[in-house]
Structures are given as structure tokens and as C-alpha cells.
Amino acid sequence: MSAAQIRFFSLLRREVSRFWKIKRQTVGAPLLETFLYISVFGAALGSRIKELEGFDYVVFVVPGLIMMAWATNAFSNNSSSILQQKFQRAIDDQLSSPSSPLELLLAFSFGGFLRGMLVALLTFTASAILVGIPIEHPFVLLLALFLVGFFFAQLGVLVGVRAEQFDDVSFAQQFVLQPLIFLGGVFYSASLLPEPFETITHFNPVYYMIGTVRYGFLGFDEESVTLSLLGLLLATGALFALNLRLFRKGYRLRA
Amino acid sequence: MTAALQITELRKQYPTGPEALKGVSLTIEPGEFFGLLGPNGAGKSTLIHCTTGLASPSSGAIEVFGHDAIDHYGKARQLVGLAPQDLNLDHFLTLEETLDFHGGYFGMPKKERKERAAELLDAFSLTAKRKERTRTLSGGMKRRLILARALMHRPELLILDEPTAGVDVELRLELWQYVQRINQEGTTILLTTHYLEEAEQLCSRIAFINGGEIVAEGTSPELARTYGVSSLEDAYLELVGRKELSRASMAEISS
């Protein structure tokens, strides 16, 4: 391995080891949360709702839950990890190393990305065993999930870099992210909503993300999957470019 | 001969507050044990942070063994080891991991990291604690680990920012012995300290910094002569405008 590869993998290993050491909180808790949703919305409510858009209600809900698991874990891992290291000033060890801004950004990004992927994968495996989830368009599914994971990993980095206290991170998570995800159609189809809520939902970017992931699993789409993926790709690219700029400038990282 | 550290006209203006460095120029030759003394807020840490990438200079140049340390900093950073003033250890990591990750950030291969970490843990009497998390360490042990971490990648220029602040007498003497030994082995050292006896005992050359400017430079006797006094302590008190605190003045008052 070259020195640059050793550097990058050490930075990434540090991020993975952080969440793995507290896996009850970082992997176990989100997994339990997802299963509670499946139990409540699938088993309890689902038995009354029967079908939605031609699918068992629980089958309709699971793709959104998998995406939500990846997104929230990628976000919260990166925002907390960066803020925590800023607080302890432990981040100075990485910042004063020969690592480039790009290496630092990618390592922080992939820490959360991998945590999200792990929780999503475990959720999928268990759901597939319990309720049987089809995968109609595997390539679209993988592309959509990877983009969503990377988008929220970037968002987590951005919030972590900008944050000055833990309240800033929890505000972003509880008051922005969570409502956008919940109101983005994880638990229902937007077409069931009365006006003006159906129209308002179309302004929520998470709605399109859930749509592409659901299409990948179930083959069901409400909006153009191609346009949604393109929009997601552009948004992720823009966020990555912004973060790279902030890392290059050392915004709230270097004095 | 190429200087170990060459700082030219370095300026640093923080967004708020006065200019922290006002065109500082400084040369440290290879193999020197150089002391930087000055009151709180004089610019010592800012100068160190600019050299190690923790602060971005407003203008000026920094070269470490002839390599640019500001824009194309890869080579320069590789040659510098920083033991910061703050005990900025990552509480999630064990002692072994702290050293291992640091070595990784500097591109050291795994086998070399393992051997070097074992060697340093032994040298700083930390081997018994190697599997414990850093938060379980006493203040003195943390201080030793921070020095071990700075030495992990075998830097040629070691920067010690108040390394003995708050440590007991025996640890202070232990650290002195250790850094004197590595200086004799060829490592250039830049030390900032508030303990004048420490600077006098260890440093071959000393610079006074005040208000963001280097105001005097030389050996301890040369600095005393510059200020027309008999000791480094009196020269320092002249620098900070508190000569009434000199031992001679105090003796006069008490007699």
C-alpha cells in the first residue's frame, strides 16, 4: 500500500472503530427502532390497511425504512463524530497530518456511509426473512441507496463542521431531517394525501429519494425515477463540492 | 545548510481581535533546541498552529527543512511532530490505537507502527495501560502519551507547546531527560514554556515573543545582556514590563 492509501485507510478505520466500539448505540439502537416501526406499522396497523398501491402495507413501508436507516445513521454518525472530535480537539491529530482535505473529507464521509449501510443491510436481511421483500430493479436500487447514503453522509459532515454545540446537531436531526423523512412518504403514498399536502410533499426532496428506492425494490413509481436520480446526483455532487471547499479553507476546523 | 524551520514575515489576523502575528521571522537550525518564550496571548501557539496546519496564516512563508508548510504541506508535515498544550486525546481510543492511528495518518506501514508503538509505550512506561482507553489515564500519563504520539512518526522537528504545564516534578524531570536525549540524537526541538528554568536548562537559543512580534533572540546570557539584567528571568520581566517582580526588587521590599 502507498503512504497515501495507508493514510486514508487509517482515517477511515478510525471512523469505523468509533461507531463499532459503541455498537449498541450506533447499530443496535437504530436496528431496534426500525423493527419497532415494522412491528407497529406492519403487524399492528398493516393488518387493517391490507394493501397500498397493490402491495402488502408492510412491504410498501420497508423500502422507506431501509432508506431512512441508511440516511439517518450516515447523517448522525458524521455530524456527531466531527463535532465530538472538534470538542476534544482530537481532530487536530488528523488536521496536522499530511492528509489532504479530500482524504479527510472522504474518510469522515465514509465512516457514516458504512454505518448506514450496515444498519440498512441488517434491516433488509431481517425484513427479507420476515416478510419477503422483492428486488425488482437491483441496479436502480443500489445506485439510489448509495447516492442517498452519500448525500446524507455529506449533510452530516456539513452540520458537524458548522456545529458549535451538540444542540446544533440535534436541532438539524430532530427539527429538519426527521420531519422531512417522515413527511417524505416512508409510511404512505403521497397520492393518498388530501390537497394541499399532496402538492407540498412534492417540494420535499426526500420524497423523491424514497420514490427511487421504492422503485428499486417494488418496481412502483409515482415520479420519474431518472429525473429523481439525476436530481439526487446533482445535489450530492453540489454538497460534496461545498464540503471540499470548506475542508480546503479549514472552515471551523482550523483557526 | 537548510534551516529546520524558516519562518518569514508571518502574519495572522483572526476574524475578531487584534493581529496575532505581526510579520514574524524566525530561523531554527537543524539540531537546535530552541525556546520560544512570551506571556499568554503573545502569539506562541498561533505560530505553532500556523506551522502545523492548525491555523491558516494571513500572509508570509513557513518552510520545514526547505519544504513549504502552508500550501503544499505534505513533505513538511511529515517532518514535524506536535505535542500540543491541550490534552487532546480521543477518549474512544486505547493508547495503542492512539499511536497506531497517528502512525497511519503519517503513512507508516502496519508492522512499523506496531513496533514503534510498543517501543514508545515502553519508553514512557505506558505498556501496562496499552489496551485501556485514554480517558482512564491520569493527567501525567496523558501528557506522556501526547509526547509519545508526537514522536510516533519519527519527526525531525519536534514542537512542544508547554509540555510540562501542570505535571509533577518527577514527570517534568523525566520529560526533560527524554527530550534532551532525542535532541542529542539529532531531532530539532522548538519548545514553548512558561517555566524559565526549563528554557534555561534545555534551550541552546531562545526568542522572546510579545504582542505578535519577536522582540529579542539569543542565548540566555545574551538575552540578559540585551535587557541589561543578570538573568533570563529578569530579562523576561523586563519584556513583560513587570520588573518590580524581580527577585532583587522583592528582596529590597522585604529588607
Side-chain angles (χ1 to χ4, degrees), chain A residues 8-52:
Chain A
F8 175 72
F9 283 111
S10 298
L11 292 165
L12 180 58
R13 229 163 23 93
R14 190 229 156 273
E15 289 308 300
V16 172
S17 91
R18 176 196 163 273
F19 78 71
W20 192 245
K21 280 187 180 193
I22 44 170
K23 50 186 171 295
R24 259 190 316 190
Q25 178 199 328
T26 54
V27 180
L31 212 53
L32 175 67
E33 191 181 273
T34 310
F35 282 105
L36 290 176
Y37 285 131
I38 292 178
S39 310
V40 172
F41 292 100
L45 290 177
S47 60
R48 288 186 174 269
I49 297 173
K50 303 286 183 208
E51 284 195 347
L52 199 60

Coordinates of all heavy atoms in Angstrom, one line a residue, chain A residues 8-52:
Chain A
F8 N -5.3 7.2 4.2 CA -6.7 7.2 4.0 C -7.4 6.1 4.8 O -8.4 6.3 5.5 CB -7.1 7.1 2.5 CG -8.6 7.0 2.3 CD1 -9.4 8.1 2.5 CD2 -9.2 5.8 2.0 CE1 -10.8 8.0 2.4 CE2 -10.6 5.7 1.9 CZ -11.4 6.8 2.1
F9 N -6.8 4.9 4.7 CA -7.5 3.8 5.4 C -7.4 3.9 7.0 O -8.2 3.5 7.7 CB -6.9 2.4 5.0 CG -7.5 2.0 3.6 CD1 -6.8 2.0 2.5 CD2 -8.9 1.8 3.5 CE1 -7.4 1.7 1.2 CE2 -9.5 1.5 2.3 CZ -8.7 1.4 1.2
S10 N -6.3 4.6 7.4 CA -6.2 4.9 8.9 C -7.3 5.9 9.3 O -7.9 5.7 10.3 CB -4.8 5.4 9.2 OG -3.8 4.5 8.9
L11 N -7.5 6.9 8.5 CA -8.5 7.9 8.8 C -9.9 7.2 8.8 O -10.7 7.4 9.7 CB -8.5 9.0 7.8 CG -7.3 9.9 7.7 CD1 -7.3 10.8 6.4 CD2 -7.3 10.9 8.9
L12 N -10.1 6.4 7.8 CA -11.4 5.7 7.7 C -11.6 4.6 8.9 O -12.6 4.5 9.5 CB -11.5 5.0 6.4 CG -12.8 4.2 6.1 CD1 -14.0 5.2 6.2 CD2 -12.8 3.6 4.7
R13 N -10.5 3.9 9.2 CA -10.5 2.9 10.2 C -10.9 3.6 11.6 O -11.6 3.0 12.4 CB -9.1 2.3 10.3 CG -9.2 0.8 10.4 CD -7.8 0.1 10.1 NE -6.6 0.9 10.3 CZ -5.9 0.9 11.4 NH1 -6.3 0.2 12.5 NH2 -4.8 1.6 11.5
R14 N -10.4 4.8 11.8 CA -10.7 5.5 13.0 C -12.2 5.8 13.1 O -12.8 5.6 14.1 CB -9.9 6.8 13.1 CG -9.9 7.5 14.4 CD -10.3 8.9 14.3 NE -10.9 9.4 15.5 CZ -12.2 9.3 15.8 NH1 -13.0 8.8 14.9 NH2 -12.6 9.8 16.9
E15 N -12.8 6.2 12.0 CA -14.2 6.5 12.0 C -15.0 5.2 12.2 O -16.0 5.3 12.9 CB -14.6 7.1 10.6 CG -14.1 8.5 10.5 CD -14.4 9.4 11.6 OE1 -15.6 9.6 11.9 OE2 -13.5 10.0 12.3
V16 N -14.6 4.1 11.6 CA -15.4 2.9 11.7 C -15.2 2.4 13.1 O -16.2 1.9 13.8 CB -14.9 1.9 10.7 CG1 -15.6 0.5 10.9 CG2 -15.3 2.3 9.3
S17 N -14.0 2.4 13.7 CA -13.8 1.9 15.0 C -14.6 2.7 16.0 O -15.0 2.2 17.0 CB -12.3 1.9 15.3 OG -11.9 3.1 16.0
R18 N -14.8 4.0 15.8 CA -15.5 4.8 16.7 C -17.0 4.3 16.9 O -17.4 4.0 18.0 CB -15.6 6.3 16.3 CG -16.4 7.1 17.1 CD -16.8 8.5 16.5 NE -17.9 9.1 17.2 CZ -19.2 8.8 16.9 NH1 -19.5 8.0 16.0 NH2 -20.1 9.4 17.5
F19 N -17.6 4.1 15.7 CA -19.0 3.6 15.9 C -19.1 2.1 16.3 O -20.0 1.7 16.9 CB -19.9 4.0 14.6 CG -19.7 3.1 13.4 CD1 -20.2 1.8 13.4 CD2 -19.2 3.6 12.3 CE1 -20.1 1.0 12.3 CE2 -19.0 2.8 11.1 CZ -19.5 1.5 11.1
W20 N -18.1 1.4 15.9 CA -18.1 -0.1 16.2 C -18.0 -0.3 17.7 O -18.5 -1.2 18.3 CB -17.1 -0.8 15.4 CG -17.3 -2.3 15.5 CD1 -16.4 -3.2 16.0 CD2 -18.4 -3.0 15.0 NE1 -17.0 -4.5 15.9 CE2 -18.2 -4.4 15.3 CE3 -19.6 -2.7 14.4 CZ2 -19.1 -5.4 15.0 CZ3 -20.5 -3.7 14.0 CH2 -20.3 -5.0 14.3
K21 N -17.2 0.6 18.4 CA -16.9 0.5 19.8 C -18.2 0.7 20.6 O -18.3 0.3 21.7 CB -15.9 1.5 20.2 CG -14.5 1.0 19.9 CD -13.5 1.8 20.5 CE -12.1 1.3 20.2 NZ -11.1 1.9 20.9
I22 N -19.1 1.5 20.0 CA -20.3 1.8 20.8 C -21.5 1.2 19.9 O -22.5 1.9 19.7 CB -20.5 3.3 21.1 CG1 -20.1 4.2 19.8 CG2 -19.7 3.7 22.3 CD1 -20.5 5.6 20.0
K23 N -21.3 0.0 19.5 CA -22.3 -0.5 18.5 C -23.7 -0.7 19.1 O -24.7 -0.7 18.3 CB -21.8 -1.8 17.9 CG -21.3 -2.9 18.8 CD -20.7 -4.0 18.0 CE -20.0 -5.0 18.8 NZ -18.8 -4.5 19.5
R24 N -23.8 -0.9 20.4 CA -25.2 -1.0 21.0 C -26.0 0.3 20.6 O -27.1 0.2 20.3 CB -25.1 -1.1 22.5 CG -25.2 -2.6 22.9 CD -25.4 -2.6 24.4 NE -24.4 -1.8 25.1 CZ -24.2 -1.8 26.4 NH1 -24.9 -2.6 27.1 NH2 -23.4 -1.0 27.0
Q25 N -25.3 1.4 20.7 CA -25.9 2.7 20.5 C -26.0 3.0 19.0 O -27.0 3.6 18.5 CB -25.1 3.8 21.2 CG -25.6 5.2 21.1 CD -24.6 6.2 21.4 OE1 -23.8 6.0 22.3 NE2 -24.6 7.4 20.8
T26 N -24.9 2.7 18.3 CA -24.8 3.2 16.9 C -25.4 2.2 15.9 O -25.8 2.6 14.8 CB -23.3 3.4 16.5 OG1 -22.6 2.3 16.8 CG2 -22.8 4.6 17.3
V27 N -25.4 0.9 16.2 CA -26.0 -0.1 15.3 C -27.2 -0.8 15.9 O -28.3 -0.9 15.3 CB -24.9 -1.2 14.9 CG1 -25.5 -2.2 14.0 CG2 -23.7 -0.5 14.3
G28 N -27.1 -1.2 17.2 CA -28.2 -1.9 17.8 C -29.5 -1.0 18.0 O -30.6 -1.5 17.6
A29 N -29.3 0.2 18.5 CA -30.5 1.0 18.7 C -31.2 1.4 17.4 O -32.5 1.2 17.4 CB -30.0 2.3 19.5
P30 N -30.5 1.8 16.4 CA -31.3 2.1 15.1 C -32.0 0.9 14.5 O -33.1 0.9 14.0 CB -30.2 2.6 14.2 CG -29.0 2.6 14.8 CD -29.2 2.2 16.3
L31 N -31.3 -0.3 14.8 CA -31.9 -1.5 14.3 C -33.2 -1.8 15.0 O -34.3 -2.2 14.4 CB -30.9 -2.7 14.5 CG -30.9 -3.8 13.5 CD1 -30.8 -3.3 12.1 CD2 -29.8 -4.8 13.8
L32 N -33.2 -1.7 16.3 CA -34.4 -1.9 17.2 C -35.5 -0.9 16.8 O -36.6 -1.3 16.6 CB -34.0 -1.7 18.6 CG -35.2 -1.8 19.6 CD1 -35.7 -3.2 19.6 CD2 -34.8 -1.4 21.0
E33 N -35.1 0.3 16.5 CA -36.0 1.4 16.2 C -36.8 1.0 14.9 O -38.0 1.0 14.8 CB -35.3 2.7 16.0 CG -36.2 3.9 15.8 CD -35.3 5.1 15.6 OE1 -34.9 5.7 16.6 OE2 -35.1 5.5 14.4
T34 N -36.0 0.5 13.9 CA -36.6 0.1 12.6 C -37.6 -1.1 12.8 O -38.7 -1.1 12.2 CB -35.5 -0.3 11.6 OG1 -34.5 0.7 11.6 CG2 -36.0 -0.5 10.2
F35 N -37.2 -2.0 13.7 CA -38.1 -3.1 13.9 C -39.4 -2.7 14.7 O -40.4 -3.3 14.5 CB -37.4 -4.3 14.6 CG -36.5 -5.0 13.6 CD1 -35.2 -4.9 13.6 CD2 -37.1 -5.8 12.7 CE1 -34.4 -5.5 12.6 CE2 -36.4 -6.4 11.7 CZ -35.0 -6.3 11.7
L36 N -39.2 -1.7 15.5 CA -40.4 -1.2 16.2 C -41.4 -0.6 15.1 O -42.6 -0.8 15.2 CB -40.1 -0.2 17.2 CG -39.3 -0.8 18.5 CD1 -38.9 0.3 19.4 CD2 -40.2 -1.8 19.2
Y37 N -40.8 0.1 14.2 CA -41.6 0.7 13.1 C -42.3 -0.5 12.3 O -43.5 -0.4 12.0 CB -40.8 1.5 12.1 CG -40.4 2.8 12.6 CD1 -39.1 3.2 12.5 CD2 -41.3 3.7 13.2 CE1 -38.7 4.5 13.0 CE2 -40.9 4.9 13.6 CZ -39.6 5.3 13.5 OH -39.2 6.5 14.0
I38 N -41.5 -1.5 12.0 CA -42.1 -2.6 11.2 C -43.2 -3.3 12.0 O -44.3 -3.6 11.5 CB -41.0 -3.6 10.8 CG1 -40.1 -3.0 9.8 CG2 -41.6 -4.9 10.2 CD1 -38.9 -3.9 9.4
S39 N -43.0 -3.4 13.3 CA -44.0 -4.1 14.2 C -45.3 -3.3 14.2 O -46.4 -3.8 14.0 CB -43.5 -4.3 15.6 OG -42.2 -4.8 15.6
V40 N -45.1 -2.0 14.5 CA -46.3 -1.1 14.7 C -47.0 -0.9 13.3 O -48.2 -1.1 13.2 CB -45.9 0.3 15.2 CG1 -47.0 1.3 15.2 CG2 -45.3 0.1 16.6
F41 N -46.2 -0.5 12.3 CA -46.9 -0.2 11.0 C -47.2 -1.4 10.2 O -48.1 -1.4 9.4 CB -46.0 0.8 10.2 CG -46.0 2.2 10.9 CD1 -44.9 2.5 11.6 CD2 -47.0 3.0 10.8 CE1 -44.8 3.8 12.3 CE2 -47.0 4.3 11.4 CZ -45.9 4.7 12.1
G42 N -46.3 -2.4 10.4 CA -46.6 -3.6 9.6 C -47.6 -4.6 10.2 O -48.7 -4.8 9.7
A43 N -47.2 -5.0 11.4 CA -48.0 -6.1 12.0 C -49.3 -5.5 12.6 O -50.4 -5.9 12.3 CB -47.2 -6.8 13.1
A44 N -49.2 -4.4 13.3 CA -50.4 -3.8 14.0 C -51.3 -3.1 13.0 O -52.4 -3.5 12.7 CB -50.0 -2.9 15.1
L45 N -50.8 -2.0 12.5 CA -51.7 -1.2 11.6 C -51.9 -1.9 10.2 O -52.9 -1.8 9.6 CB -51.0 0.2 11.3 CG -51.1 1.2 12.5 CD1 -50.3 2.4 12.1 CD2 -52.5 1.5 12.9
G46 N -50.8 -2.5 9.8 CA -50.8 -3.2 8.5 C -51.9 -4.2 8.3 O -52.5 -4.3 7.2
S47 N -52.2 -4.9 9.4 CA -53.3 -5.9 9.3 C -54.6 -5.2 8.9 O -55.5 -5.9 8.4 CB -53.3 -6.7 10.6 OG -53.7 -5.8 11.6
R48 N -54.8 -4.0 9.3 CA -56.1 -3.3 8.9 C -56.0 -2.6 7.6 O -57.0 -2.5 6.9 CB -56.4 -2.2 10.0 CG -56.8 -2.9 11.3 CD -57.2 -1.9 12.3 NE -57.7 -2.5 13.5 CZ -59.0 -2.8 13.7 NH1 -59.9 -2.6 12.8 NH2 -59.4 -3.5 14.8
I49 N -54.8 -2.1 7.2 CA -54.7 -1.4 6.0 C -54.7 -2.3 4.7 O -55.1 -1.9 3.7 CB -53.4 -0.5 6.0 CG1 -53.5 0.6 7.1 CG2 -53.2 0.2 4.6 CD1 -52.3 1.4 7.3
K50 N -54.3 -3.5 5.0 CA -54.2 -4.5 3.9 C -53.2 -4.1 2.8 O -52.0 -4.2 3.0 CB -55.6 -4.8 3.3 CG -56.6 -5.3 4.3 CD -56.4 -6.7 4.7 CE -57.5 -7.2 5.6 NZ -57.0 -8.2 6.5
E51 N -53.7 -3.5 1.7 CA -52.8 -3.2 0.6 C -52.7 -1.7 0.3 O -53.7 -1.0 0.5 CB -53.3 -3.9 -0.7 CG -53.0 -5.4 -0.6 CD -53.2 -6.0 -2.0 OE1 -53.7 -5.4 -2.9 OE2 -52.7 -7.2 -2.2
L52 N -51.5 -1.3 -0.2 CA -51.3 0.0 -0.6 C -50.6 0.0 -2.0 O -49.6 -0.6 -2.1 CB -50.4 0.8 0.4 CG -50.4 2.3 0.4 CD1 -51.8 2.8 0.7 CD2 -49.5 2.8 1.5

